[in-house]
Amino acid sequence: MRPCGGASGPSGVCGAPLGAFWRGGVVQVFPCIWKGQYFSSGNEPAENNRGTPMFRHLMYKIKSTGPITVAEYMKEVLTNPDKGYYVHRDMLGEKGDFITSPEISQIFGELIGIWFISEWMSSGKSSAFQLVELGPGRGTLTGDILRVFSQLGSVLKNCDISVHLVEVSQKLSEFQALTLTDEKMPLERDVESLVYMKGVTKSGIPVSWYRDLKDVPKGYSFYLANEFFDVLPIHKFQKTPHGWREVFIDIDPQVSDKLRFVLAPGATPAEAFIQCGETRDHVEVCPEAGVIIQELSQRIALTGGAALIADYGHDGTKTDTFRGFCGHKLHDVLTAPGTADLTADVDFSYLRRMAQGKTASLGPIQQQTFLKNMGIDVRLKVLLDKADESSVKQQLLHGYNMLMNPKKMGERFNFFALLPHQRVQGGGHQMGPNQSKPSASPPVAGFGELTWR
Ligand code: SAH
């Protein structure tokens, strides 16, 4: 039995058998910002910069070695081990800078948990799998997925599951441990090791923390990245009469404590990432995302499993999407660096190219379509029917609206998957000329029509 058919819609697994557990306490019915809005930068007063340690660090760097690429700027600002935005704070939720889907509604993580179970069943119910999350934030998403795994324990009963979290932020790894682990089981810590922390989840599953995907053991795995790729460093390029020129960040000569964008006087090495025949006049490329996708696709091709990537993004069509968020407001990207999140929309066409044909890719499809296919309406109804308090009902409806409304996250947020080729062969989609007809695989839940790339 497959729990949630893509075209046929959800069956019981999305509804009653999951129970009506209300995670509670997290969803805000106040105007939290989701990272889907745009802002042009450069007009903030310079005095806003004074005093941020990251600003002083960047000024020193630029004065000693010259203007820096946007990628270098993003990397320093977000993940510098001393002063990086992600390294020392909890930026999610009401008191933070932005809100993400798992923090908005428990249904998001529950449906993703069902997606993984569906894939596990469709690909032969292996005796073990790793759940690997990239950039787990507060650990809320993995927590919701593990609750689904527990509630569907009879389906997964003979399967050996382990959890692996890839997180650069020490502070957030502590939050993740609080959310996920059993406080009676002490955490093992070793800052020198590639596995810098280990623990056991509340349901008895081993959980390990790494700084880099490369350090996660290879093996049959389900990979997950929600709002992770959008914070990876991007290079920006502008088309000029002299060809492509990379955008750099320099100190404003008119105002000494202000940063500004400048164009490189000649070609730079990162220009190699621009596709020949590119028709846009401004492009953003994220080589680090390419490296991660190559690693994921190699692993999936070798040992099986799947990767599910959810993010703001486009299919190689958008231009300037670089933006900042602070205190649920859009924030100038060059002002007070280190105090605000920086993000850029994910170019899914680039991710697809970087899979280099090692795996099949599905999507991007809009969040509203994916969640609808996964049975969000059935799940919402179950939770509403069981909710006694009107405030809980209101929170559930508010969360649903944030996730599904086309003007909120419904259209701008996308799902994209990498799967072994054999998983999507024979499902009624177009095949390569030299392929013999394999037996039809069940459709992949959540994604409507399958496309063969
Ligand atoms: N997935 C979470 C949090 C998204 S915020 C959610 O949906 O709520 C981005 C997350 O990625 C944070 O946990 C941040 O610390 C982590 N992160 C950012 N850059 C990273 C990198 N280069 N490697 C690993 N984790 C990173």
Side-chain angles (χ1 to χ4, degrees), residues 35 79 86 91-92 98 100-103 133-138 141 166-169 172 176 211 225-228 230-232 288:
K35 298 197 284 186
T79 57
Y86 276 108
M91 66 294 302
L92 290 150
F98 59 92
T100 58
S101 305
E103 303 295 333
E133 187 178 356
L134 309 178
R138 284 179 175 170
L141 181 51
V166 179
E167 175 57 75
V168 280
S169 163
L172 285 177
Q176 292 149 20
R211 290 178 197 88
N226 184 61
E227 294 211 26
F228 168 75
D230 72 310
V231 300
L232 298 179
E288 213 169 294

Side-chain angles (χ1 to χ4, degrees), residues 223-361:
Y223 300 93
L224 173 62
N226 184 61
E227 294 211 26
F228 168 75
F229 280 92
D230 72 310
V231 300
L232 298 179
I234 51 151
H235 290 268
K236 283 172 87 65
F237 298 90
Q238 180 66 43
K239 200 180 260 172
T240 73
H242 314 289
W244 287 104
R245 290 290 177 265
E246 184 162 4
V247 178
F248 276 66
I249 291 167
D250 196 4
I251 300 163
D252 191 331
Q254 313 290 329
V255 193
S256 63
D257 49 5
K258 197 166 180 212
L259 296 170
R260 62 165 189 170
F261 289 118
V262 290
L263 286 186
T268 53
E271 197 184 309
F273 290 104
I274 302 176
Q275 292 248 87
C276 52
E278 176 59 64
T279 53
R280 287 170 290 173
D281 60 5
H282 188 101
V283 289
E284 297 171 337
V285 220
C286 183
E288 213 169 294
V291 171
I292 293 171
I293 290 293
Q294 283 176 2
E295 175 78 21
L296 289 175
S297 52
Q298 263 163 21
R299 283 169 175 246
I300 293 168
L302 208 65
T303 53
L308 189 63
I309 294 165
D311 229 308
Y312 296 101
H314 58 93
D315 218 10
T317 50
K318 284 197 178 164
T319 55
D320 182 10
T321 72
F322 186 36
R323 57 202 187 276
F325 290 95
C326 182
H328 297 274
K329 289 199 176 81
L330 283 158
H331 179 91
D332 188 309
V333 288
L334 298 185
T335 298
T339 63
D341 187 33
L342 299 178
T343 168
D345 279 6
V346 175
D347 179 350
F348 289 104
S349 70
Y350 176 71
L351 302 195
R352 190 183 308 118
R353 280 202 303 283
M354 288 299 108
Q356 295 175 324
K358 292 194 180 82
T359 53
S361 60

